[in-house]
Amino acid sequence: MNSKLLLASLKTQELNMSQLIESLETQKRAIVNNDYTSLEEAIGKEQLILRKIEQEEASRIKLIRDIAKQFNLNLNSHSLDDLLSKGARYFESDVKEIMTYRKSLKTKIEYILKTNTQLKDVIEFSRNIIKETMMMIAGPSKRAIVNKRV
């Protein structure tokens, strides 16, 4: 049944999100420790993970479409919420597990968003420090050049 495939997809996506969190944590440590090599490696790994997440998301959407066709469900979107609200009775045995994965994914995504915001703030702060340092070295007459480079 397609609900089992959907469960497998959600499980894979949860693993992908865990790997993304690990990569973000590595990036955070690398930035704090000023370890450029580790940062570059973590960013490369992050790109691979993001591709896997994108592929799995496409797979999940296809599975939801297939389930909707199989049970003649008229879904407004191909979201998990829409599927559960309109078709949960067709796969009652798996609904609890699907909801567990959905909740876990939501929690991980919220953590990823928070971590990305923190990284963005740290990077912006670092850029400002570099910019101010360059201004002190170059002098006030070179402000336009410094602004272009940083």
Side-chain angles (χ1 to χ4, degrees), residues 127-128 130-131 134 145-150:
R127 288 183 77 215
N128 285 335
I130 292 167
K131 185 176 176 180
M134 288 177 69
I145 293 172
V146 171
N147 285 335
K148 286 181 184 178
R149 298 219 183 254
V150 178

Side-chain angles (χ1 to χ4, degrees), residues 12-146:
T12 300
Q13 198 68 306
E14 185 182 38
L15 178 63
N16 290 337
M17 292 297 174
S18 294
Q19 290 173 347
L20 182 58
I21 288 170
E22 184 180 308
S23 176
L24 291 172
E25 291 297 325
T26 301
Q27 288 178 41
K28 200 171 13 173
R29 283 189 302 276
I31 289 170
V32 169
N33 294 328
N34 198 26
D35 186 352
Y36 185 76
T37 305
S38 292
L39 181 60
E40 285 294 313
E41 289 172 7
I43 290 172
K45 183 178 177 184
E46 178 187 33
Q47 295 304 312
L48 294 173
I49 295 166
L50 289 173
R51 277 190 223 115
K52 289 187 336 188
I53 288 171
E54 188 176 320
Q55 290 169 348
E56 197 59 45
E57 182 65 10
S59 174
R60 182 197 58 81
I61 290 170
K62 184 181 180 312
L63 286 168
I64 289 176
R65 281 185 188 145
D66 292 347
I67 291 170
K69 283 180 188 176
Q70 180 181 1
F71 296 112
N72 292 325
L73 301 174
N74 186 19
L75 302 180
N76 297 330
S77 67
H78 299 338
S79 70
L80 207 48
D81 289 338
D82 202 16
L83 177 67
L84 290 172
S85 68
K86 293 184 179 177
R89 66 181 180 268
Y90 296 109
F91 40 90
E92 289 176 355
S93 61
D94 296 325
V95 169
K96 186 175 180 181
E97 198 172 356
I98 290 171
M99 292 296 289
T100 301
Y101 280 116
R102 182 187 165 279
K103 184 178 179 182
S104 175
L105 284 167
K106 186 175 181 179
T107 302
K108 287 180 182 196
I109 289 169
E110 288 170 356
Y111 182 81
I112 289 167
L113 289 171
K114 184 180 91 170
T115 303
N116 274 337
T117 301
Q118 289 172 349
L119 287 171
K120 179 183 155 247
D121 291 344
V122 167
I123 290 168
E124 188 63 32
F125 180 75
S126 297
R127 288 183 77 215
N128 285 335
I129 289 175
I130 292 167
K131 185 176 176 180
E132 290 300 317
T133 303
M134 288 177 69
M135 295 264 226
M136 287 188 317
I137 293 170
S141 63
K142 305 290 184 187
R143 181 173 293 274
I145 293 172
V146 171

